[in-house]
Amino acid sequence: MLLAVSAEAQRTVVVDAVTRQPVAHANLYAKEGGKFRSAVSDEAGRAEVAFPFRRLTVSHLNYEKQVLSRLPDTVCLQPMVRVVNEVTVYSGEPAWIRKKLKQLVREKAQRYHNRRQVLHYDYDSQSISGSQYYRYQAGGWLRMPDADDKGYAIHQTEGHITAVDSTRLTDVANLRRMLYEDFVDELDSKFISQHRFYVDYDYEGAPGEVSLVFRGKKYGDDRGRFVIDTARCVILSAQRHLGLKANKHLRVSDFMLSMARIISGYKILDWMVDYRVAYAETDGSWHPADIAYKFFFKTVDNETDESSQQFSRDTGSGFSNMESTVTIRPTDIHPDDSIAWKPLPRSWILKYNTDEERAYEVELSHLPATFTLLEGLDM
């Protein structure tokens, strides 16, 4: 009787416990009887759990995880960061903001990535979708770019995969997104002209630190906040939310999207990114130190080309619902000149790849890693 009742679809709404705003793309999942099942909340925070559970985990990158024995009508998640809400009203933009930001843009090359550095990284990426669970944990050395080299490279020293099946694919797509969609890198004169800025007067920081909230002028789903040290003219931390409209405008070529739509009926239905980063200074050079990144992507595609389908199988074609973190810190152990570095190219949503580029994507999807089957783990 209990199993029959719990197997019926149950509905809930996931909300922010502080603002009471809906939490979109929260994961609700359980492992019962050796099977993994999950659901995801929609833009209104609504979720339908159509599987039995004794322990249901509700998680989102920006919130504290909850474990439930029953599903209430409303699940209230405690935020780990201050969420930037669309309904908040701020006063006008002070005149000094744009002047200070333009100074930062002019001078950031002197402070960020101003020398070639090798730091240690720890990467943790998780994907939950339907009956699929995948987690990839890796670490090693990260070669930072400098003024003459805009590319990152890694030397992985450890890697581990946890999954519901025997997949051995390693996914560094979110690592690449986190590094190349860096807030300071994207803060340029164009960014300044396309956004409005407001002072967050509730922020309490050290003298000279100011928290600024920003909104896209054209796309309402581009918003966030960052903390600037006005004395040193550096960004200390930032968080940003990008929705479907903003992502399509910023991350995809209109021509490529039109061609894909004509060729295969490809269409992007949903695309959401939540990103936050804290910066640190190592030996006089500022760099991202702690990054968290949530990526939700949904498309339709009628592609039937066998070579494209094989490429998708060989690379795992990425995951559509990912939450990842990376920590970057100094290390006392430095690699010698003989180690092999693997360049990390920018991760593109739509791109015509050469045969050489495709081969390298497959190589990045098969980095050395140990493996654990989820069946033996307690969720």
Side-chain angles (χ1 to χ4, degrees):
M1 175 68 73
L2 289 176
L3 286 176
V5 171
S6 62
E8 295 179 359
Q10 302 177 69
R11 295 175 178 83
T12 191
V13 178
V14 185
V15 302
D16 185 298
V18 176
T19 66
R20 310 303 292 186
Q21 295 295 307
V23 177
H25 309 126
N27 296 307
L28 300 88
Y29 57 92
K31 186 169 78 73
E32 304 285 346
K35 292 185 178 181
F36 181 84
R37 296 287 187 272
S38 72
V40 63
S41 61
D42 63 15
E43 289 291 338
R46 297 169 301 197
E48 182 176 293
V49 178
F51 50 86
F53 65 86
R54 293 182 179 84
R55 287 165 47 89
L56 180 75
T57 301
V58 184
S59 69
H60 187 286
L61 188 70
N62 293 332
Y63 295 87
E64 295 180 6
K65 186 181 296 184
Q66 279 195 34
V67 179
L68 307 172
S69 57
R70 65 177 185 85
L71 192 64
D73 294 334
T74 304
V75 177
C76 299
L77 296 182
Q78 291 292 335
M80 293 191 294
V81 295
R82 294 185 63 190
V83 177
V84 182
N85 296 306
E86 297 182 33
V87 298
T88 307
V89 178
Y90 298 86
S91 59
E93 179 182 298
W96 65 267
I97 290 180
R98 290 181 184 272
K99 182 179 179 180
K100 178 60 67 173
L101 293 181
K102 289 177 181 178
Q103 177 189 352
L104 190 149
V105 170
R106 290 194 305 269
E107 300 176 358
K108 67 180 181 179
Q110 304 170 21
R111 298 181 175 89
Y112 294 85
H113 303 316
N114 58 18
R115 66 187 65 184
R116 173 60 60 85
Q117 291 179 305
V118 174
L119 305 176
H120 186 273
Y121 79 95
D122 287 299
Y123 174 58
D124 191 339
S125 187
Q126 177 179 269
S127 176
I128 297 173
S129 178
S131 59
Q132 298 299 313
Y133 177 89
Y134 170 91
R135 186 178 185 185
Y136 175 51
Q137 298 163 287
W141 291 312
L142 177 67
R143 192 177 68 191
M144 310 295 285
D146 59 18
D148 299 322
D149 180 7
K150 300 300 182 182
Y152 290 86
I154 60 170
H155 177 75
Q156 178 181 293
T157 57
E158 55 183 334
H160 186 77
I161 297 169
T162 304
V164 297
D165 54 32
S166 59
T167 180
R168 300 282 175 161
L169 296 177
T170 53
D171 195 296
V172 294
N174 253 19
L175 175 60
R176 293 154 65 183
R177 294 185 185 108
M178 283 190 279
L179 295 174
Y180 286 105
E181 295 175 21
D182 178 63
F183 182 79
V184 168
D185 284 346
E186 297 193 334
L187 180 60
D188 55 16
S189 57
K190 184 177 180 180
F191 182 97
I192 295 172
S193 67
Q194 292 178 341
H195 293 82
R196 294 185 177 90
F197 303 90
Y198 312 90
V199 176
D200 176 7
Y201 292 104
D202 294 329
Y203 175 78
E204 297 180 0
E209 291 183 12
V210 179
S211 176
L212 298 179
V213 175
F214 64 88
R215 293 283 191 278
K217 293 180 180 178
K218 189 173 182 180
Y219 302 100
D221 55 356
D222 177 4
R223 58 187 185 271
R225 72 172 72 242
F226 59 96
V227 175
I228 180 171
D229 183 325
T230 57
R232 292 183 290 177
C233 202
V234 292
I235 301 294
L236 302 179
S237 63
Q239 63 185 89
R240 190 177 187 184
H241 171 88
L242 292 166
L244 176 61
K245 290 182 180 180
N247 274 309
K248 287 174 65 175
H249 171 70
L250 294 172
R251 308 296 184 205
V252 180
S253 160
D254 291 340
F255 173 76
M256 289 293 297
L257 188 57
S258 298
M259 289 299 296
R261 187 181 297 114
I262 293 171
I263 294 171
S264 68
Y266 182 90
K267 185 178 180 181
I268 300 174
L269 302 178
D270 198 359
W271 188 354
M272 184 278 301
V273 167
D274 273 320
Y275 165 86
R276 65 179 186 269
V277 56
Y279 296 93
E281 185 180 15
T282 300
D283 297 331
S285 182
W286 287 82
H287 59 83
D290 290 285
I291 314 174
Y293 191 98
K294 182 173 178 65
F295 174 80
F296 186 88
F297 192 68
K298 185 177 181 181
T299 65
V300 292
D301 188 3
N302 299 318
E303 178 64 69
T304 58
D305 179 68
E306 176 56 33
S307 63
S308 296
Q309 293 180 351
Q310 185 61 47
F311 178 66
S312 295
R313 290 191 290 268
D314 290 342
T315 61
S317 66
F319 294 97
S320 61
N321 184 17
M322 298 181 69
E323 295 187 354
S324 306
T325 60
V326 63
T327 301
I328 302 169
R329 64 181 188 273
T331 175
D332 294 330
I333 303 174
H334 296 284
D336 58 39
D337 295 335
S338 65
I339 73 162
W341 289 100
K342 287 198 174 296
L344 288 181
R346 182 180 292 271
S347 182
W348 300 95
I349 295 298
L350 277 176
K351 182 179 182 293
Y352 287 126
N353 292 300
T354 65
D355 290 342
E356 183 179 1
E357 288 172 333
R358 285 193 168 208
Y360 190 65
E361 290 292 333
V362 173
E363 185 177 338
L364 286 177
S365 300
H366 293 79
L367 299 175
T370 57
F371 177 80
T372 298
L373 194 64
L374 181 66
E375 183 177 348
L377 298 180
D378 181 14
M379 297 294 292

